[in-house]
Amino acid sequence: MAELWVDKLSFARGDFKLRIDQLQIRPGEKVAILGENGSGKSTLLQLLCGLLPCGGEIRYDNRPLAQIPVVQRARLFSLLPQFSELIFPFSVAEVVLFGRFPHAIGNSFSDADRQLSEQQLQQLDLLPLRERQFNELSGGEKRRVMLARVLNQQAPIIYLDEPNASLDIRHTLEIFELLGGRRETVIAPVHDINLAEQFFDRFLLLKQGRLLADVSHAHLTPELLTETYDVQVTGGTAAFTFTRR
Amino acid sequence: MKKLLLIIFLLTLIAACLVGSTAINPFAASPVERDILFSLRLPRVLFSAVIGAMLGLSGSVYQLTLKNPLADSFTTGAASSSALGAVLAIAFGLPVALVPVAALATGLVGLLTVYRLSKTNGVINPVTMILAGVVMNIVASSVISFAKYFFEDSLSSIVFWLMGGFFVVDWGKLLLCAAVLLIAYLLFAAKALQLNMLALDEYSAQSLGVNVDRLRSLAFVVATALVAVAVSYTGIIGFVGLIVPHVARSLFGSDMQQNLSYSALLGALLLVVADAVSRTIIPGGAELPVGIITALLGGIFFLYLLQTRRERLWHG
Amino acid sequence: MFRLLAALLLLLLPVASFAAQRVIILAPAAADIIEQLGAGPLVVGKTRNVLEFPQATQVGSHIRPNLEIITSLRPNLLIISSNRFFSKEMATSVAAEVFHYQPNTLEEILTQTLALGEKLGREEQARKLVAEQRRKLQQLQPLAESPRVLYEITEAPLTIAGGGHILADIIRRAGGELVSGSQRRMLRFNPEAVLSLQPDIYLWQVGPMNQRPTPAAQRGQYRLLKADFRQVDQLQYSRANSKSFDNTLELNSYFRERK
């Protein structure tokens, strides 16, 4: 279990500035990051993962991120970036096994690692694709493989940049339910607000690099969303409602 | 599969020792023939294997760490910056023994230049690195052209040197290169799993616990050092570093735990065969520069691969 | 009246029979013979590695002659070795007669000496020079056994002279035999083939092409080569000119005195 603390985080790249004064995320929370394109959702994830230089302080379990060696970070949190490609062909099974890298001893994976990978493949409905080349898969299939890799890392905090991008509705529901049922912290920018509302319990609303609001379910109001996205938002029933069979 | 390949490799080594300007029957060799076999031909065959392995290994690592299927000793500027030193040494008439030393020196200078140029905000950028390498290549080539133009008396020496070949090999040079190869191989093999992670995008690799920048720097420096040493002794032997890793990948998969050894092995095999051809194709002891043969063999094979198995080669 | 007649007579004569007055040497090998013919004062241009004729203007190198300088010197005779570096197009643009000097044998040196003498109006000197060279050739003494000779042009990469090189004829006339197995002028060679050819004499040249070679006898790969090693001067040996005959004599006596 890991707790995340953010204090006076600041980052600038060209005209874009991101600043978050205070943020604390407790173990097991499911946090959706909402905001328009370019509001800093992905940047925030990258900052929290220590992938970009920044001001202020990020702490995991009271330990400053800067002092945690890269190898140990991989046991604290995992990351699914928005786009992932492989330059050379690897099979689906190999890619999912990559997720066990932080746990590999020496230069090889243990049998336990392989077993866990198999379970992960099964859980994400990937066994039929097991021997396929990753690069030959469809966009949604690739996404699921990468998600399996990230979950396989078994880190207490999971960062997912738009986890349901290019996933069909059935797989989206499956994955969000799967994530909702796990003990890990999940922090994910999500574009589909209705889905976010359905599966997450805390919402960070970003606008132009600033944390507009940090609210729970009850306070995610149409007014707040109107301010976040600059569109008129009204509550009501959707044309279709989806649940898993 | 690996066993079969090793057997093929050993048979090729033996065959390469027996062919040449004079065919030698190992069971009825005259003293001169025995001397040719053991003090010239055997070291040369082994040397070509070592150099081939060095080039194959460096190509395999370059392509993965620079995230570019076309990365090799040319695109990273390593080959031409090393060649520059050798060409200048020949042009200025330094003693022959100093030619490799000069090549190694400029090769290392080229390495540091490209490395420095490709660091932005303390982080290595693979695209910048390829660009810096290509620029390095252009600069070195222009100086080489100038040397060819200005030092006309050395023109044929320079041109022949640039075409690549195993000039005079002795056991000392062989041992030195074998040691360099062994160290580099062990270093890469110990990091094979980490190198695999570099096939992913940078952020994924980093979040899996790989210090991408440090690994990339190490891989670049060691691979370039391999090329610099190889080029300093043999001139420019193209295409081995580019093609061999692709062939290894398409035959045995992309896993670096396999690819490192197969790239080295196939590189060695290719160069042993190419050198045997270069020694025998013209009757009467004349020699064809080996770079011509590797480029031809490799290029044809690469065309075949591109035509038939492109999607299995890389994702671009 | 007489002057007019003479002028008319001159105009009637074919141009070729005029002795050239302004000569440019683009074939360095020819320089020595032109000097021997006493035609030095006619030379207005030369390539940069011709050391004779200090009064002549440099016109670039024999590989890259400078057409502008050549044209500005208004030559009426260009001496070139081949059209490789001085194309026919370049020659026509200069509007001068072109003489090809590239002898491959001692005999050809003599015929080309005579032809040059004619072009330069030095027929008498040419005949004398040829007679002198023939006398040198008559001093050659036969050898009991013909040594097999290898001639190294550059050490690294190893290149040797082939049958098309002037050295092949010089060595043959001196009583030896150039081993190479090729009719090219120079060829890249395999060090182990040197061992298997077993030459009796290994000549290695030192000069601009082979600036600081390792002394051949000290090279590890020739440890078992039972050949006599002899260093020669590139500029002396590799050009086909009047010195070629002295070299032939010198090699002949070296072959004879060799144990």
Side-chain angles (χ1 to χ4, degrees):
Chain A
M1 289 297 100
E3 190 169 30
L4 169 67
W5 275 87
V6 172
D7 192 33
K8 297 197 179 59
L9 178 69
S10 67
F11 170 80
R13 180 167 48 199
D15 284 344
F16 177 77
K17 284 190 177 56
L18 187 136
R19 191 176 168 83
I20 288 174
D21 285 331
Q22 282 276 319
L23 186 67
Q24 181 192 0
I25 292 172
R26 283 175 298 277
E29 277 194 289
K30 308 287 181 271
V31 183
I33 305 176
L34 305 180
E36 58 189 14
N37 294 143
S39 57
K41 304 188 293 295
S42 297
T43 307
L44 178 58
L45 279 203
Q46 286 157 18
L47 289 169
L48 294 178
C49 289
L51 297 172
L52 298 172
C54 63
E57 197 173 46
I58 300 166
R59 277 178 291 158
Y60 286 89
D61 284 338
N62 265 332
R63 223 176 135 195
L65 177 61
Q67 290 175 17
I68 308 174
V70 177
V71 191
Q72 286 181 29
R73 291 178 192 181
R75 289 166 182 244
L76 271 176
F77 51 81
S78 55
L79 168 70
L80 174 71
Q82 222 168 72
F83 308 100
S84 357
E85 289 291 355
L86 284 171
I87 178 162
F88 293 121
F90 281 91
S91 74
V92 167
E94 282 175 307
V95 175
V96 174
L97 193 55
F98 281 0
R100 298 303 301 163
F101 176 75
H103 308 272
I105 299 151
N107 211 4
S108 61
F109 293 111
S110 67
D111 287 341
D113 289 333
R114 288 175 203 280
Q115 258 167 21
L116 278 168
S117 295
E118 289 305 306
Q119 285 170 20
Q120 212 56 251
L121 284 166
Q122 194 179 7
Q123 206 162 31
L124 283 175
D125 203 8
L126 290 169
L127 277 178
L129 305 180
R130 207 181 169 286
E131 296 305 325
R132 291 269 301 278
Q133 294 296 321
F134 177 84
N135 289 335
E136 292 166 4
L137 301 179
S138 76
E141 289 169 334
K142 281 180 183 167
R143 203 73 189 143
R144 275 157 53 214
V145 173
M146 280 303 173
L147 198 62
R149 171 185 72 71
V150 168
L151 296 179
N152 209 10
Q153 203 171 327
Q154 291 192 320
I157 298 178
I158 307 173
Y159 293 110
L160 306 168
D161 201 344
E162 294 180 31
N164 62 325
S166 63
L167 286 192
D168 59 45
I169 183 70
R170 180 169 68 85
H171 284 113
T172 302
L173 293 174
E174 271 176 21
I175 281 164
F176 278 154
E177 270 180 30
L178 175 79
L179 291 173
R182 292 179 74 121
R183 287 165 47 233
E184 290 97 330
T185 312
V186 176
I187 301 173
V190 182
H191 270 303
D192 189 322
I193 299 157
N194 287 317
L195 276 172
E197 196 268 345
Q198 196 180 341
F199 290 101
F200 289 78
D201 41 40
R202 186 173 165 189
F203 308 91
L204 302 181
L205 283 74
L206 281 184
K207 182 151 188 165
Q208 289 166 4
R210 306 198 74 86
L211 188 58
L212 204 65
D214 174 3
V215 295
S216 68
H217 242 270
H219 296 95
L220 191 66
T221 60
E223 293 74 29
L224 201 52
L225 290 170
T226 302
E227 200 187 340
T228 310
Y229 288 100
D230 281 330
V231 289
Q232 194 59 48
V233 182
T234 44
T237 22
F240 299 103
T241 314
F242 304 95
T243 40
R244 267 215 317 151
R245 283 204 294 186
Chain B
M1 196 67 193
K2 199 163 197 166
K3 260 189 197 148
L4 180 70
L5 200 64
L6 272 174
I7 291 169
I8 293 176
F9 178 63
L10 284 178
L11 290 177
T12 312
L13 279 186
I14 293 167
C17 282
L18 298 182
V19 300
S21 51
T22 44
I24 293 176
N25 177 354
F27 303 109
S30 67
V32 173
E33 284 181 335
R34 212 173 301 134
D35 189 52
I36 290 177
L37 189 61
F38 288 109
S39 64
L40 285 178
R41 206 175 281 174
L42 183 62
R44 179 163 169 165
V45 167
L46 294 177
F47 196 64
S48 63
V50 168
I51 297 291
M54 285 167 110
L55 295 174
L57 192 63
S58 70
S60 165
V61 172
Y62 273 144
Q63 287 168 9
L64 186 69
T65 51
L66 298 184
K67 288 200 153 318
N68 193 324
L70 289 179
D72 76 337
S73 52
F74 280 97
T75 30
T76 50
S80 29
S81 56
S82 307
L84 177 62
V87 166
L88 291 179
I90 293 173
F92 286 119
L94 294 188
V96 170
L98 287 184
V99 171
V101 180
L104 194 60
T106 54
L108 294 178
V109 170
L111 182 164
L112 288 179
T113 314
V114 172
Y115 185 74
R116 286 289 291 278
L117 282 176
S118 47
K119 268 208 162 182
T120 28
N121 300 327
V123 177
I124 290 270
N125 180 334
V127 179
T128 319
M129 186 167 261
I130 297 268
L131 286 178
V134 170
V135 171
M136 190 72 211
N137 204 338
I138 293 170
V139 173
S141 303
S142 69
V143 180
I144 289 174
S145 295
F146 174 76
K148 283 199 245 175
Y149 171 85
F150 194 78
F151 300 95
E152 280 167 356
D153 290 312
S154 310
L155 182 64
S156 55
S157 284
I158 293 175
V159 169
F160 278 132
W161 192 90
L162 285 176
M163 285 178 185
F166 302 97
F167 309 127
V168 174
V169 178
D170 55 48
W171 290 98
K173 285 181 197 172
L174 175 65
L175 283 179
L176 178 76
C177 288
V180 171
L181 171 67
L182 187 71
I183 292 169
Y185 180 81
L186 292 178
L187 212 58
F188 287 141
K191 305 225 175 254
L193 212 53
Q194 286 194 47
L195 286 169
N196 269 345
M197 301 304 130
L198 289 187
L200 291 161
D201 58 288
E202 212 139 313
Y203 288 159
S204 297
Q206 186 95 16
S207 72
L208 277 165
V210 177
N211 194 329
V212 174
D213 197 50
R214 197 187 295 167
L215 182 61
R216 194 171 269 156
S217 302
L218 175 92
F220 175 75
V221 170
V222 175
T224 306
L226 275 180
V227 172
V229 171
V231 171
S232 70
Y233 281 113
T234 64
I236 292 183
I237 300 178
F239 272 78
V240 178
L242 178 62
I243 289 172
V244 159
H246 286 299
V247 175
R249 238 176 255 121
S250 91
L251 293 177
F252 309 105
S254 312
D255 186 349
M256 287 302 270
Q257 286 175 307
Q258 310 294 322
N259 192 264
L260 287 174
S261 53
Y262 282 122
S263 291
L265 197 56
L266 289 176
L269 189 64
L270 174 63
L271 215 47
V272 168
V273 172
D275 183 51
V277 172
S278 89
R279 283 183 285 128
T280 48
I281 195 163
I282 307 176
E287 228 177 85
L288 198 63
V290 77
I292 296 176
I293 296 163
T294 54
L296 192 68
L297 289 180
I300 291 170
F301 194 67
F302 203 47
L303 276 181
Y304 159 76
L305 281 180
L306 270 184
Q307 200 51 243
T308 54
R309 314 183 65 169
R310 181 174 9 209
E311 73 288 348
R312 298 206 26 121
L313 279 180
W314 69 76
H315 181 82
Chain C
M1 183 64 196
F2 177 73
R3 277 188 187 173
L4 186 71
L5 210 68
L8 272 175
L9 210 70
L10 275 175
L11 279 174
L12 284 173
L13 282 169
V15 181
S17 71
F18 271 105
Q21 293 304 315
R22 301 182 64 80
V23 180
I24 293 180
I25 303 174
L26 298 175
D32 155 77
I33 287 180
I34 290 167
E35 195 174 42
Q36 302 274 333
L37 295 178
L42 304 182
V43 177
V44 293
K46 60 173 190 176
T47 54
R48 72 166 186 224
N49 34 11
V50 173
L51 301 176
E52 299 91 341
F53 323 122
Q55 88 285 357
T57 311
Q58 280 202 14
V59 296
S61 68
H62 69 287
I63 293 178
R64 285 184 189 79
N66 185 318
L67 208 51
E68 286 186 12
I69 302 179
I70 291 174
T71 314
S72 73
L73 290 173
R74 292 175 291 104
N76 47 19
L77 182 66
L78 295 173
I79 299 169
I80 69 172
S81 55
S82 71
N83 284 115
R84 192 162 156 220
F85 302 118
F86 194 80
S87 66
K88 292 207 168 77
E89 290 75 31
M90 289 164 91
T92 44
S93 78
V94 178
E97 199 184 342
V98 173
F99 183 88
H100 286 258
Y101 181 84
Q102 193 173 31
N104 287 319
T105 59
L106 292 178
E107 211 46 58
E108 280 174 36
I109 296 177
L110 296 180
T111 50
Q112 298 206 7
T113 303
L114 288 175
L116 261 179
E118 199 177 313
K119 285 273 177 279
L120 298 168
R122 300 288 192 275
E123 290 90 343
E124 190 50 40
Q125 289 93 325
R127 271 193 291 278
K128 264 192 202 155
L129 183 59
V130 167
E132 189 188 323
Q133 307 291 35
R134 288 214 184 280
R135 268 197 301 282
K136 285 181 194 160
L137 289 182
Q138 279 160 10
Q139 294 170 32
L140 290 171
Q141 293 179 25
L143 298 174
E145 225 173 289
S146 158
R148 305 171 75 249
V149 185
L150 192 133
Y151 188 87
E152 170 185 300
I153 296 178
T154 63
E155 178 193 1
L158 178 64
T159 52
I160 64 167
H165 202 283
I166 182 70
L167 253 311
D169 195 50
I170 292 178
I171 289 166
R172 193 178 58 78
R173 296 292 281 265
E177 179 203 350
L178 182 78
V179 290
S180 79
S182 164
Q183 281 312 303
R184 301 181 55 168
R185 283 173 62 80
M186 72 187 274
L187 57 152
R188 216 181 118 176
F189 214 62
N190 185 333
E192 68 178 48
V194 174
L195 288 198
S196 61
L197 280 175
Q198 291 286 311
D200 303 309
I201 297 166
Y202 189 101
L203 298 178
W204 47 291
Q205 68 172 23
V206 177
M209 287 184 85
N210 209 20
Q211 296 188 51
R212 238 177 276 176
T214 319
Q218 291 172 22
R219 296 182 206 162
Q221 71 269 27
Y222 296 151
R223 206 178 50 246
L224 276 198
L225 191 61
K226 285 194 212 70
D228 291 341
F229 294 96
R230 185 174 162 89
Q231 178 187 337
V232 298
D233 180 7
Q234 180 202 329
L235 296 177
Q236 275 280 331
Y237 265 73
S238 64
R239 284 178 177 175
N241 56 24
S242 68
K243 294 196 192 88
S244 301
F245 297 85
D246 304 311
N247 297 337
T248 312
L249 263 183
E250 188 199 284
L251 273 182
N252 179 250
S253 63
Y254 168 65
F255 289 166
R256 272 184 288 122
E257 286 156 18
R258 199 176 65 93
K259 284 283 168 224

